[in-house]
Amino acid sequence: MQSFNFSFDSSACETCGGKCCTGESGYIFCSIDELRLIASFLKMPFNDFTQKYVKKVGYKYSLIEKPDIQAKSYACIFFDTTSRRCQIYPIRPKQCQTFPFWDSFLDRNSQEFRSLIEMCKGVKIDKKDN
């Protein structure tokens, strides 16, 4: 298990507006099991769900994105841009569940880490590592 030099206060998500769900175009990777769970949660046949909400990226699968006019960026297809909330939060993909504890944020000197600190007010830098 990797050691992160920060903690995360999930209560900050209540006032954030979904900054981790919006931004530059990217990928929201999901396993087949996660896709099946989301389709079931939405009460949709799996094939209909994948045709409407999933794109293939090499050998992987990603949820599609949509424009987020308010943020002048892109958002996950399941991010409600009016309420600024995830519509599938109870069964969101592992990629979303593990945010911000991603390997790309391990190096405190990286641009990725600096961007994380600016974007996410739930990230608290551990004092012992300053």
Side-chain angles (χ1 to χ4, degrees):
M1 172 94 181
Q2 296 289 345
S3 177
F4 290 87
N5 296 319
F6 61 87
S7 59
F8 178 66
D9 177 5
S10 61
S11 68
C13 298
E14 291 297 317
T15 59
C16 162
K19 291 180 182 169
C20 62
C21 301
T22 62
E24 294 179 23
S25 183
Y27 301 112
I28 306 111
F29 289 116
C30 299
S31 69
I32 295 294
D33 288 341
E34 289 172 322
L35 296 174
R36 288 188 192 285
L37 185 62
I38 297 167
S40 176
F41 181 80
L42 297 174
K43 297 178 176 40
M44 288 181 75
F46 183 71
N47 287 340
D48 293 349
F49 168 79
T50 57
Q51 290 293 314
K52 188 171 182 177
Y53 297 117
V54 178
K55 66 181 173 182
K56 194 164 194 248
V57 181
Y59 293 101
K60 296 180 180 183
Y61 300 94
S62 174
L63 299 176
I64 63 171
E65 297 171 298
K66 62 185 176 185
D68 180 356
I69 306 304
Q70 182 178 337
K72 297 181 181 151
S73 63
Y74 292 92
C76 171
I77 192 67
F78 295 111
F79 182 71
D80 184 320
T81 56
T82 302
S83 70
R84 312 301 293 170
R85 301 250 186 239
C86 176
Q87 297 171 311
I88 61 167
Y89 189 84
I91 47 86
R92 66 199 186 282
K94 183 179 180 183
Q95 177 177 330
C96 304
Q97 292 177 28
T98 59
F99 181 85
F101 298 102
W102 296 349
D103 288 348
S104 59
F105 301 133
L106 280 168
D107 179 1
R108 284 178 73 162
N109 297 314
S110 71
Q111 179 58 45
E112 290 87 359
F113 186 78
R114 288 191 293 278
S115 295
L116 172 68
I117 296 303
E118 290 175 23
M119 174 191 67
C120 183
K121 53 184 163 181
V123 171
K124 306 296 181 201
I125 298 173
D126 293 343
K127 300 290 185 211
K128 66 181 179 184
D129 296 316
N130 282 343

